[in-house]
Amino acid sequence: MISPSPTGNRPDNEQCPTHPKVISGKPSHRPTESLRPQTNGKVERFHRTLLDEWAHQRPYTSEAERQAAFPGWLDWYNYHRPHTGIDGQTPASRVTNLSGQHT
């Protein structure tokens, strides 16, 4: 079973992949609590990491080129990049049920 994961609050954006109309029948969207840095801070930190380490890491010649770089960056982020918040481990090393998810 997949649990909902916290994301930023964007109820007005039906194009957002976490909007209930987009994900009906899939894992539910669990918005972060407003003015609650204990949960929202994790989402905001991930967004900053996305900008610093992927989106703005180098000049891309097009949006398509930047989007094409995302799967490789996400693989690196989850399987190879040490995270200081989890004692230098990778997120994937902390999850035991990922069989067949990483190639």
Side-chain angles (χ1 to χ4, degrees):
M1 176 180 186
I2 300 173
S3 352
S5 59
T7 63
N9 294 319
R10 296 211 33 193
D12 60 326
N13 185 355
E14 292 185 20
Q15 300 303 314
C16 179
T18 59
H19 190 278
K21 289 183 180 176
V22 175
I23 62 167
S24 60
K26 295 188 177 179
S28 63
H29 174 233
R30 184 184 70 187
T32 57
E33 296 178 47
S34 296
L35 304 173
R36 180 108 174 124
Q38 292 87 339
T39 56
N40 199 39
K42 293 175 184 177
V43 172
E44 294 299 325
R45 180 63 185 124
F46 180 67
H47 288 171
R48 179 166 176 198
T49 299
L50 276 171
L51 291 173
D52 292 347
E53 297 181 11
W54 165 67
H56 301 152
Q57 176 63 24
R58 65 179 187 84
Y60 294 96
T61 59
S62 67
E63 180 62 22
E65 181 185 4
R66 181 168 52 197
Q67 288 177 3
F70 182 70
W73 177 83
L74 190 60
D75 178 82
W76 172 78
Y77 179 85
N78 285 318
Y79 292 92
H80 307 285
R81 177 187 184 272
H83 292 246
T84 56
I86 52 176
D87 296 323
Q89 296 180 51
T90 64
S93 71
R94 307 218 355 145
V95 180
T96 59
N97 62 351
L98 289 179
S99 64
Q101 298 293 314
H102 184 263
T103 56

